[in-house]
Each structure stands twice: as structure tokens, then as C-alpha cells.
């Protein structure tokens, strides 16, 4: 079996240049970006804000955003000029999924919304409903959707704290996005978050 190659991310910073209150006050959906790549430190910080490990009691890993029953049903993908990557919270590392720039394809699948192809990074939140459904039944669906909102807001506030801009994109063709990202069966895209340098 081929060995998985991890791409370690720089250790996330514990302090930023804005207070939380300033980040909340400054956050605005940004849709016009310079076509410039984000640094590994910026990408790592944003992914940590999305789903990074913030406590490890015993063998359990708690993440940056709340999760109903701590089931953590979200997969986080990072899509950049160099390819599509999956974020591994427990290692704070990336795994390369595909070495191709998929931002243009994702833009088409998002009804041509330009920020998706112009931003240096698209964070795509994808959910597996199996565990929340088996524990909470139908209610599990809204729990997963709520969790995506928590995660997205963490990303938006972290973007502000890094001097970057972001926007939540909910208008896209689910099946097309799932196909572009090669999502495994049972995994569904919920939100695309372009993050970039504000033009
Ligand atoms: C669930 C959700 C889906 C959204 N989808 C889109 C979208 O597809 N395209 C877009 O440009 N903005 C989208 N937005 C951003 C809203 O348009 C934006 O939050 C709203 O206009 C308020 O502006 P503000 O975020 O600057 O406060 C979405 C926001 C949410 C919460």
C-alpha cells in the first residue's frame, strides 16, 4: 500500500493583530481579491481556525469549533493554485488529493461566482452525515448544517485577523462540486469559503 505523504503546516499563532471584538466589527463579506497565493502560515492558520485541535484530553481531540456530540462530521478541503488538499486536524497537516488547480471548475459550479476562482484559497466544508444521523436521527442534519456555520464564522474572523478577506458561498451545484472534488460516497459539500488578499 502506498504511504500517505503528509505536508506539515506551520504551527498556528496564538495571538493576532486584532482583538476578537475588532475582528467581529471589521468582518464583511469580501468578493474582490488580488490573484495572489496565500502563504503556508496563512493557510495553516485558517485551517486551524476551521477545525484545528485545541485540546487533547487523553486520546480525544477537541477542535476549534463546537460539534454536536463531538462527532466532528466535517471534512475540510483546501483548494489552491497548486492543488486540492485534505486537512488533517490531528496532525495539523495536509494530504494532497489532486495536483491541479480546481478553482476555475469550482467557480463554474458556483454559478460563475468570481471570488471562487480569484481567491488564493478556497476552503470547502464537506459533511458526512452518517454518525450524526445514527446518533440523532433526522435532527442530525440541522446539527451538521449548524456546525458548518460555526466553522465558517471562525474562518471569517481568522481571515480578518490576518488582514485577509473571505465570503461564504452557498450557491453552487452540489453534485458538480462533489464531482470536481472527487468526494467519496456519502460526503456532501456545504460551503465554499474563498479567502484572499482584498483588492
Ligand atoms: C449560508 C450563506 C450562504 C451565502 N452564500 C453566498 C453566495 O453564494 N454568494 C455570495 O456572494 N455571498 C453569499 N453569502 C454572503 C452573504 O451575501 C452576506 O453574508 C450578506 O450579504 C451580509 O453581508 P456581510 O457578510 O458582509 O455582513 C452567504 C452567506 C451565508 C451565511
Amino acid at each position: 500500500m502506498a504511504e500517505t505523504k503528509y505536508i506539515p503546516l506551520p504551527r498556528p499563532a496564538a495571538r493576532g493583530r486584532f482583538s476578537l471584538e475588532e475582528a467581529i466589527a471589521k468582518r464583511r463579506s469580501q468578493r474582490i481579491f488580488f490573484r495572489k497565493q496565500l502563504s503556508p502560515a496563512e493557510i495553516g492558520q485558517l485551517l486551524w481556525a476551521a477545525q484545528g485541535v485545541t485540546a487533547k484530553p487523553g486520546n480525544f481531540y477537541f477542535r476549534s469549533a463546537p460539534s454536536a456530540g463531538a462527532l466532528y462530521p466535517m471534512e475540510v478541503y483546501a483548494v489552491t493554485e497548486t492543488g486540492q488538499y485534505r486537512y488533517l486536524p490531528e496532525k495539523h497537516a495536509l494530504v494532497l488529493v489532486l495536483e491541479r488547480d480546481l478553482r476555475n471548475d469550482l467557480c463554474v459550479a458556483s454559478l460563475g461566482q468570481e471570488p471562487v476562482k480569484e481567491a488564493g484559497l478556497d476552503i470547502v466544508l464537506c459533511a458526512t452525515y452518517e454518525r450524526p444521523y445514527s446518533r440523532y436521527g433526522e435532527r442530525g442534519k440541522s446539527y451538521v448544517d449548524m456546525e458548518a456555520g460555526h466553522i465558517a464564522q471562525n474562518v471569517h474572523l481568522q481571515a480578518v485577523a490576518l488582514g485577509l478577506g473571505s465570503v461564504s458561498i452557498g450557491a453552487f451545484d452540489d453534485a458538480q462540486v462533489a464531482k470536481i472534488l472527487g468526494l467519496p460516497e456519502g460526503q456532501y459539500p456545504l460551503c465554499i469559503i474563498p479567502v484572499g488578499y482584498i483588492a
Side-chain angles (χ1 to χ4, degrees), residues 40-188:
E42 287 167 331
I43 292 173
Q45 192 71 38
L46 289 156
L47 294 172
W48 170 83
Q51 281 290 267
V53 171
T54 48
K56 190 177 175 292
N59 287 329
F60 197 79
Y61 294 82
F62 283 107
R63 299 185 186 177
S64 53
S67 177
L71 296 177
Y72 300 118
M74 217 67 72
E75 286 290 344
V76 179
Y77 294 93
V79 176
T80 70
E81 184 183 58
T82 56
Q84 174 194 352
Y85 305 84
R86 190 159 65 86
Y87 178 58
L88 302 181
E90 293 169 21
K91 294 192 182 299
H92 190 55
L94 296 174
V95 175
L96 178 68
V97 178
L98 190 69
E99 207 166 351
R100 220 186 94 199
D101 187 351
L102 298 174
R103 292 174 301 167
N104 196 47
D105 295 351
L106 285 179
C107 168
V108 173
S110 310
L111 321 177
Q113 297 192 69
E114 297 274 319
V116 178
K117 75 169 177 203
E118 299 295 336
L121 168 70
D122 286 324
I123 293 179
V124 189
L125 307 181
C126 299
T128 308
Y129 288 90
E130 199 182 307
R131 272 178 299 157
Y133 262 86
S134 60
R135 183 169 311 175
Y136 301 113
E138 283 295 308
R139 191 100 191 125
K141 163 136 186 28
S142 55
Y143 287 173
V144 173
D145 295 345
M146 284 186 233
E147 184 167 335
H150 289 89
I151 295 171
Q153 181 72 347
N154 273 9
V155 172
H156 294 315
L157 296 178
Q158 181 67 78
V160 174
L162 292 171
L164 300 168
S166 62
V167 59
S168 275
I169 300 283
F172 54 79
D173 183 310
D174 294 356
Q176 232 178 310
V177 169
K179 193 167 169 209
I180 292 163
L181 298 180
L183 298 185
E185 214 185 302
Q187 207 177 102
Y188 303 90

Side-chain angles (χ1 to χ4, degrees), residues 27-31 113 115 167-172 191:
R27 185 211 61 80
R28 196 86 287 132
S29 292
Q30 303 292 343
R31 299 179 177 84
Q113 297 192 69
V167 59
S168 275
I169 300 283
F172 54 79
C191 189

